[in-house]
């Protein structure tokens, strides 16, 4: 039995697609449909149809351009493309043939003759245009393409300017919101802390009241941290992050940070192993800011590792090979690399760079079920890694992520590497 011929119909009008689809299906053809030029090109590549019916007047990429592109694709140059158009202007047929079409069917489609015409084109019928006419239409065709290219570039330039403007507005909003929130929050935090300590030690206050006050204090502290993160992001973006640079040992910074998580690690039954880092040379850096980097990394390792897992921190000295590991980003001769590895859910390789963007979270934030920063898969504002990168860059270093992928069942784990230069004080 003869195999059913496959026809791709590229047409933006739904009713036409239904009509032509039915007629050709009834005539024994398999019909594929694309509703615009770009989809038509993609489907032509993927499905390699026996014939393409191409509507000419479509928004976006029109049928002439789609036909030209399809004819240039490997494996499709011999596939008949038949223009279908409601244009009744003189030269429409020639225009379509010049663009690469092999035939022309005027709209409205004559449903009685359509199956026959399709059969003829499938059987080898080809329409041609004479050379002189073709030359004229080719020029007109290129002029039209250039005009539409110009229009698209203008549209893109305007859209790009609008995007830049809204990015500036967004940054301004973050800066203003963070500044305005910080002052009242500091006042609230101060009073709440006083209330907690007074009521904790007062025999007159019942335990429920103390518990509620402690709850308020925890919430206010978290809010304060988020606002502080927003301010840090603002400074990083504006290049105004101030570093208090002193010679320091990363080993003691990491030990301090790890200690600060002791309760959370115990609660989540996580093992944190810190390999000896004392052999690492001291570096020039900002103690508080570098603590912030490792706080975020270890905090995330806790957050994204299921109970019972492990976190390992290791470090090594690097020479010139650092430039091979992070091409084009580092300056200098000597570096140290610290790695925070976990046995957690891992990160899809497609997300490895995005997670360093401001407010970026792989999961939908509406799934945040918890407010604690160290609960498994607890929520966050998506600022930790962008701050970590900003701080590392301000130290003329780099931070990046490695993971085989995201798998909450088998937990492939993630590794976050920080490289920092050993040598002179950073210039900023
Ligand atoms: P937050 O943790 O507040 O959401 P971050 O900027 O610290 O924001 O992290 C961004 C995202 O990167 C997280 O939401 C998470 O999806 C992913 N991520 C960060 N660290 C890890 C990790 N150790 N394991 C798996 N995913 C991680």
């Amino acid at each position: 039995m003869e195999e059913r011929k496959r026809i791709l119909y590229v047409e933006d009008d739904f009713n036409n697609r239904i009509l032509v689809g039915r007629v050709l299906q009834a005539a024994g053809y398999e019909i594929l449909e694309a509703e615009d030029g770009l989809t038509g090109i993609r489907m032509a590549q993927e499905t390699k149809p026996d014939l393409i019916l191409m509507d000419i007047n479509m928004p976006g990429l029109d049928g002439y351009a789609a036909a030209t592109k399809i004819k240039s694709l490997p494996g499709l140059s011999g596939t008949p493309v038949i223009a279908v158009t409601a244009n009744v202007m003189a030269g429409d047929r020639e225009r379509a043939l010049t663009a690469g079409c092999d035939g022309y069917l005027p709209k409205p489609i004559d449903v009685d003759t359509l199956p026959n015409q399709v059969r003829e084109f499938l059987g080898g019928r080809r329409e041609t245009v004479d050379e002189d006419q073709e030359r004229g239409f080719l020029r007109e065709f290129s002029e039209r393409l250039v005009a539409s290219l110009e229009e698209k570039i203008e549209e893109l330039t305007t859209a790009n300017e609008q995007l830049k403007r809204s990015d500036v507005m967004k940054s301004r909003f973050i800066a203003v919101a963070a500044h305005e929130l910080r002052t009242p929050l500091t006042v609230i935090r101060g009073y709440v802390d006083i209330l907690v300590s007074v009521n904790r030690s007062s025999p007159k206050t019942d335990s429920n009241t103390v518990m509620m006050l402690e709850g308020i204090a925890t919430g206010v502290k978290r809010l304060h941290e988020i606002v502080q993160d927003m301010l840090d992001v603002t400074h990083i973006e504006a290049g105004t992050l101030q570093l208090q640079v002193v010679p320091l040992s990363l080993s003691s910074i990491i030990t301090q940070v790890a200690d600060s998580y002791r309760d959370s690690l115990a609660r989540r039954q996580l093992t944190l192993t810190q390999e000896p880092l004392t052999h690492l040379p001291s570096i020039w850096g900002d103690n508080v800011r570098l603590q912030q980097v490792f706080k975020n990394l270890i905090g995330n390792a806790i957050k994204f590792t299921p109970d019972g897992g492990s976190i390992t921190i290791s470090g090594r000295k690097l020479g010139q090979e650092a430039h091979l590991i992070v091409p084009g980003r580092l300056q200098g001769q000597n570096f140290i690399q610290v790695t925070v590895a976990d046995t957690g859910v891992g990160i899809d390789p497609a997300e490895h760079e995005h997670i360093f963007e401001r407010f970026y979270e792989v999961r939908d934030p509406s799934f945040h079920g918890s407010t604690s920063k160290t609960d498994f898969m607890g929520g966050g504002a998506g600022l930790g890694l962008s701050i970590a990168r900003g701080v590392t860059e301000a130290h003329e270093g780099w931070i990046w992520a490695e993971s085989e992928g995201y798998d909450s069942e088998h937990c492939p784990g993630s590794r976050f590497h920080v490289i920092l230069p050993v040598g002179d004080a950073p210039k900023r």
Side-chain angles (χ1 to χ4, degrees):
M1 204 180 82
E2 204 191 330
E3 211 183 302
R4 278 210 310 165
K5 296 283 185 199
R6 182 185 290 172
I7 296 173
L8 172 64
Y9 185 25
V10 188
E11 162 71 83
D12 62 322
D13 186 285
F14 175 75
N15 293 326
N16 281 343
R17 288 205 304 272
I18 295 285
L19 175 71
V20 169
R22 282 201 187 135
V23 170
L24 293 179
Q25 251 161 6
Y29 296 109
E30 180 190 343
I31 297 292
L32 303 168
E33 292 173 7
E35 56 188 28
D36 57 60
L38 282 177
T39 315
I41 294 170
R42 184 178 48 75
M43 284 181 70
Q45 271 174 300
E46 285 169 8
T47 61
K48 297 276 180 320
D50 297 294
L51 179 139
I52 299 169
L53 288 175
M54 179 69 74
D55 178 36
I56 292 301
N57 292 316
M58 290 183 289
L61 201 70
D62 68 15
Y64 294 127
T68 306
K69 175 72 190 179
I70 288 173
K71 284 291 184 179
S72 74
L73 293 171
L76 288 170
S77 58
T79 307
V81 178
I82 312 305
V84 183
T85 175
N87 279 357
V88 279
M89 276 160 56
D92 279 347
R93 180 182 160 278
E94 290 72 15
R95 247 176 231 110
L97 299 182
T98 305
C101 294
D102 300 283
Y104 173 82
L105 296 175
K107 273 189 196 168
I109 284 185
D110 181 344
V111 291
D112 295 329
T113 57
L114 179 67
N116 227 356
Q117 287 170 312
V118 164
R119 197 172 312 118
E120 280 176 21
F121 283 115
L122 280 168
R125 176 180 149 196
R126 298 290 181 266
E127 294 180 22
T128 51
V129 58
D130 76 56
E131 265 181 34
D132 277 351
Q133 271 184 315
E134 191 176 46
R135 209 170 302 125
F137 282 111
L138 265 180
R139 174 179 288 271
E140 184 204 284
F141 187 48
S142 338
E143 281 166 4
R144 222 155 12 94
L145 280 183
V146 172
S148 100
L149 190 65
E150 212 178 338
E151 197 182 304
K152 291 284 170 256
I153 291 174
E154 265 167 28
E155 273 172 33
L156 280 178
T157 311
T158 313
N160 199 24
E161 274 160 14
Q162 271 165 0
L163 274 178
K164 276 190 197 149
R165 257 200 308 276
S166 42
D167 201 46
V168 170
M169 295 296 288
K170 191 188 67 193
S171 302
R172 206 174 290 160
F173 169 76
I174 297 167
V176 170
H179 274 113
E180 293 301 315
L181 286 171
R182 191 169 60 161
T183 314
L185 263 177
T186 309
V187 177
I188 296 171
R189 195 172 168 192
Y191 284 129
V192 169
D193 286 348
I194 294 171
L195 276 174
V196 169
S197 71
V198 168
N199 283 283
R200 240 190 223 145
S201 52
S202 163
K204 286 194 211 134
T205 315
D206 66 283
S207 60
N208 267 348
T209 309
V210 173
M211 203 184 69
M212 285 190 277
L213 284 171
E214 283 172 347
I216 296 173
T218 313
V220 172
K221 181 168 174 263
R222 180 82 193 104
L223 259 180
H224 204 254
E225 284 168 358
I226 294 172
V227 167
Q228 195 52 51
D229 280 357
M230 284 162 70
L231 281 173
D232 287 347
V233 161
T234 306
H235 284 303
I236 288 168
E237 207 185 350
T240 53
L241 191 74
Q242 298 291 327
L243 296 183
Q244 308 294 329
V245 178
V246 292
L248 46 82
S249 133
L250 271 190
S251 174
S252 62
I253 287 186
I254 290 167
T255 307
Q256 268 179 45
V257 173
D259 275 354
S260 72
Y261 280 118
R262 199 181 307 141
D263 291 348
S264 312
L265 289 163
R267 182 172 57 83
R268 301 273 324 282
Q269 292 150 30
L270 296 166
T271 319
L272 187 142
T273 311
Q274 185 178 328
E275 291 179 1
L277 300 173
T278 41
H279 65 288
L280 298 177
S282 65
I283 60 159
W284 284 91
D286 182 317
N287 200 331
V288 175
R289 290 295 179 192
L290 289 174
Q291 280 203 29
Q292 194 178 11
V293 170
F294 290 101
K295 227 179 181 142
N296 284 331
L297 294 186
I298 299 174
N300 278 344
I302 294 175
K303 194 158 72 172
F304 295 105
T305 303
D307 293 11
S310 58
I311 298 163
T312 310
I313 304 169
S314 56
R316 60 174 179 157
K317 283 189 272 189
L318 286 176
Q320 288 299 313
E321 66 272 28
H323 294 281
L324 297 174
I325 300 173
V326 191
R329 296 217 178 261
L330 303 171
Q331 281 163 17
Q333 313 277 327
N334 296 301
F335 304 87
I336 51 182
Q337 177 179 351
V338 175
T339 300
V340 178
D342 62 49
T343 57
V345 295
I347 308 159
D348 187 329
E351 307 282 5
H352 287 183
E353 266 306 296
H354 292 309
I355 56 174
F356 291 95
E357 289 166 15
R358 285 167 297 156
F359 299 107
Y360 191 85
E361 287 188 62
V362 176
R363 289 176 313 142
D364 184 338
S366 57
F367 289 132
H368 286 178
S370 148
T371 49
S372 166
K373 284 202 296 178
T374 50
D375 281 359
F376 179 50
M377 302 297 269
L383 293 175
L385 289 179
S386 85
I387 294 174
R389 177 163 279 176
V391 170
T392 326
E393 275 192 287
H395 282 82
E396 297 179 353
W398 190 244
I399 177 172
W400 73 101
E402 268 179 8
S403 171
E404 275 66 57
Y406 175 87
D407 186 339
S408 57
E409 213 174 300
H410 299 104
C411 288
S414 310
R415 293 170 300 285
F416 282 81
H417 305 281
V418 179
I419 282 193
L420 293 165
V422 178
D424 301 336
K427 286 161 210 80
R428 279 168 56 182

